DNA sequence: TGTTTTGTGTGATTTATGTCACATATGGGC
DNA sequence: GCCCATATGTGACATAAATCACACAAAACA
C-alpha cells in the first residue's frame, strides 16, 4: 500500500458505476473516495470481517474465495478492472462471507459505507446498476451450484473452459487460463484430477493447449460434456 | 388456476414489499396486479423460459430448482408466504435460470414486468428491499457453493439441519423437515446417503426424529460437523 | 376404509474422485 | 542465464458416495 493519490471528479466519471452522476454528486463523492494500492497476494477483505466500504478495481485482478480450516478454498469468482465488491456487507451489515485476494498488484477506489449508501439513495441509476450486478452474480452462483451438484469433474472442467473462452474470429480461445491448481479450486476438484481431465480432453482432440492458452477445437462436444 | 380475484389496495399494503407505497402508488399498482392460484406440483416458472412478471407468494410454499435431463434436480431454495421471485428475469431480460414448482396449493400476486420496473424506479425503498433480498440470496448461494465444494455429505446434512432449525425455548427444532428425498436434492446427495447419515446422527445422539420433526440434541457437535 | 402412490431402510456392489508420493517442468526475479 | 519457488504429470492406492435391488412403511386419496 502506497501513499494515497488524489481522486479527481474526472477519474470518477470514468467509472461505469458513477457515469450517471451529476457534477455536484461527483465532486461530493470525490471528497470521500480513497485510492488504495495492494501488492500481489494481499487480502483486501477477509471472510468473517465487517465490510466498511465498497471497493472498485481500477487495475489488476482479484479472486473472491471461501477458505476452510485446512487451507483449502473454493474460488467463487475472479474480478478485474471496473468490477466492484464489498457492497453486500454495506447493504445488510453482516460480515463478509468471502475473502478477496489480489492475483497481482491492484489499484482500487474505496468508498466508505455512508458515502456509498447516500449515493445509492440519491441515484436510482446507481441502484439499478448495483441491482443488475447482483442479479448477474446470483445467476453465476446458481449455475455453479448446478455444476457442483449435478455434473462430474469432467463436465465441470469442460464447462469452465467453455465459459472462459472468447470467440476470436471464429475460434474459441481462452487467452490466459488460470493455473490448473486454480481451476481445481474454481470447480471444487483436486488439481490432480484437473490435470488428468485436461490431458484426456487433449487426447480426444477437443482442446489444444499451448502454455496458458487453450484453444477449443470441438466446441460442440465440449458444451455437451459441460451440460447438465 | 381459478378465476381471478380482485386485488384491493388494502391487500397490497399488507405486502412488505409495498408497505412503503403511497395511496396513489398502491391504487395504481392494484390496477395491474393479478391474482393467480396454482395447484400442488404446478410449475409457475420454468428454467429457460422468459420471465414476464414478479410473483409474490401469498400462501403456500414453492421450491426453486434446477433440473437436468435425466430428471435429477438440485433445489436452490424453498420459498413461502411474503417471498417473491421472478425479479431476476425482469432486471436483466434473460430467461429464468431455475424452475419454480409449488409444493402445495399456492396463491400468488403477479406483477407484470413494466409495472414492476416503474415501481422500482419511482420508489427507492422498494429498490432497497429488492437489493437486500438479492444480497441475502447471494449469501445463501455462496454458502451452498462452499458446502458442495468443501464439505462431505455428513457435514452437509448436519449443516442443513442446523440451518433449518429454530430455537423454541432453548431447544433447536426443525418443525417440519422436508422428505429425505428432498433433503438429498437440497444438498446434492443421494437419498440413500441422506438416510444413512440421518440414522447415524440419531445413533450418535446428535438428533432425535419424530415423524417430520427433528430435535437437535447436540447443537455444538452438529455445528462442528457442518462447518468447513 | 382400503388402495395406491410416495417415501424409506439397508446390504451389496461399483465407481468416481481424492490422496499420496514422487519426478519433472515452468516461470519469475536477479 | 541461473536459481528457487511454484506448478505439473502420473502411477498406485484408499475411500466416499453413487447405484442397484429389494422389502417395507407411511401418506394421500377416493
Amino acid at each position: 500500500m502506497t501513499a494515497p493519490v488524489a481522486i479527481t471528479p474526472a477519474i470518477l466519471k470514468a467509472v461505469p458505476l458513477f457515469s450517471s452522476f451529476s457534477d455536484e454528486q461527483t465532486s461530493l463523492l470525490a471528497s470521500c473516495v480513497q485510492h488504495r494500492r495492494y501488492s500481489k497476494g494481499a487480502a483486501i477483505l477477509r471472510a468473517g470481517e465487517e465490510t466498511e466500504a465498497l471497493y472498485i478495481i481500477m487495475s489488476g485482478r482479484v479472486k473472491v474465495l471461501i477458505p476452510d480450516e485446512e487451507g483449502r478454498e473454493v474460488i467463487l469468482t475472479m474480478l478485474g478492472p471496473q468490477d466492484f465488491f464489498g457492497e453486500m456487507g454495506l447493504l445488510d451489515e453482516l460480515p463478509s462471507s468471502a475473502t478477496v485476494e489480489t492475483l497481482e498488484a491492484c489499484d482500487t477506489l474505496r468508498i466508505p459505507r455512508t458515502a456509498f449508501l447516500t449515493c445509492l439513495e440519491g441515484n436510482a441509476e446507481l441502484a439499478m446498476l448495483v441491482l443488475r450486478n447482483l442479479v448477474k452474480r446470483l445467476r453465476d452462483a446458481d449455475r455453479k451450484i448446478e455444476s457442483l451438484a449435478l455434473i462430474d469433474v469432467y463436465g465441470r472442467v469442460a464447462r469452465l473452459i467453455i465459459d472462459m473462452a472468447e470467440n476470436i474470429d471464429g475460434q474459441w480461445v481462452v487467452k490466459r487460463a488460470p493455473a490448473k491448481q486454480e481451476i481445481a479450486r474454481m470447480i471444487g476438484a483436486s488439481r490432480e484430477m484437473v490435470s488428468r481431465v485436461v490431458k484426456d480432453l487433449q487426447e480426444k482432440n477437443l482442446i489444444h493447449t499451448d502454455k496458458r492458452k487453450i484453444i477449443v477445437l470441438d466446441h460442440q462436444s465440449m458444451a455437451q460434456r459441460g451440460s447438465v
Side-chain angles (χ1 to χ4, degrees), chain A:
Chain A
M1 284 176 244
T2 59
V5 169
I7 304 300
T8 64
I11 295 177
L12 291 180
K13 270 284 172 76
V15 175
L17 218 47
F18 305 130
S19 59
S20 67
F21 275 38
S22 68
D23 289 347
E24 302 130 82
Q25 285 179 312
T26 311
S27 49
L28 210 74
L29 186 61
S31 67
C32 49
V33 172
Q34 301 150 1
H35 171 256
R36 288 212 177 166
R37 170 159 255 272
Y38 295 89
S39 54
K40 180 176 170 175
I44 304 181
L45 235 69
R46 254 183 250 273
E49 288 177 359
E50 296 293 325
T51 324
E52 294 304 332
L54 175 83
Y55 294 83
I56 300 171
I57 303 175
M58 301 305 282
S59 74
R61 287 169 53 74
V62 304
K63 57 176 176 179
V64 180
L65 58 100
I66 299 179
D68 77 354
E69 286 124 14
E70 295 104 50
R72 293 186 310 157
E73 64 184 41
V74 53
I75 297 175
L76 296 176
T77 187
M78 295 189 176
L79 302 175
Q82 314 295 10
D83 290 327
F84 56 91
F85 57 88
E87 77 295 341
M88 286 171 65
L90 301 186
L91 287 163
D92 66 8
E93 321 242 320
L94 292 174
S96 174
S97 46
T99 294
V100 178
E101 228 178 85
T102 60
L103 291 167
E104 48 201 80
C106 284
D107 283 297
T108 66
L109 295 185
R110 181 178 189 275
I111 295 125
R113 156 174 273 131
T114 45
F116 173 69
L117 292 177
T118 309
C119 287
L120 208 58
E121 279 163 34
N123 192 306
E125 298 224 28
L126 174 65
M128 283 304 279
L129 283 176
V130 175
L131 219 40
R132 269 191 271 265
N133 185 265
L134 285 172
V135 168
K136 183 182 179 312
R137 281 155 61 183
L138 192 48
R139 280 192 192 269
D140 289 346
D142 286 348
R143 196 169 141 84
K144 201 152 197 158
I145 291 169
E146 178 196 44
S147 296
L148 286 164
L150 300 175
I151 313 183
D152 62 15
V153 176
Y154 264 73
R156 302 213 291 277
V157 172
R159 172 180 272 207
L160 182 71
I161 291 172
I162 289 288
D163 284 353
M164 290 190 303
E166 41 187 327
N167 197 324
I168 297 176
D169 38 67
Q171 205 169 44
W172 290 95
V173 175
V174 183
K175 279 197 287 202
R176 226 184 128 61
K180 295 204 177 61
Q181 263 178 147
E182 294 290 86
I183 291 179
R185 291 180 185 124
M186 293 171 85
I187 62 169
S190 68
R191 64 152 197 93
E192 291 93 332
M193 195 61 198
V194 172
S195 219
R196 294 188 254 260
V197 171
V198 169
K199 185 192 174 194
D200 195 81
L201 292 174
Q202 283 182 114
E203 281 170 357
K204 292 204 166 67
N205 283 310
L206 298 183
I207 60 172
H208 173 82
T209 65
D210 173 26
K211 314 256 163 150
R212 277 289 144 83
K213 193 166 76 177
I214 302 175
I215 299 169
V216 179
L217 301 175
D218 188 342
H219 193 272
Q220 172 94 52
S221 306
M222 286 289 284
Q224 187 63 33
R225 268 169 188 274
S227 65
V228 288

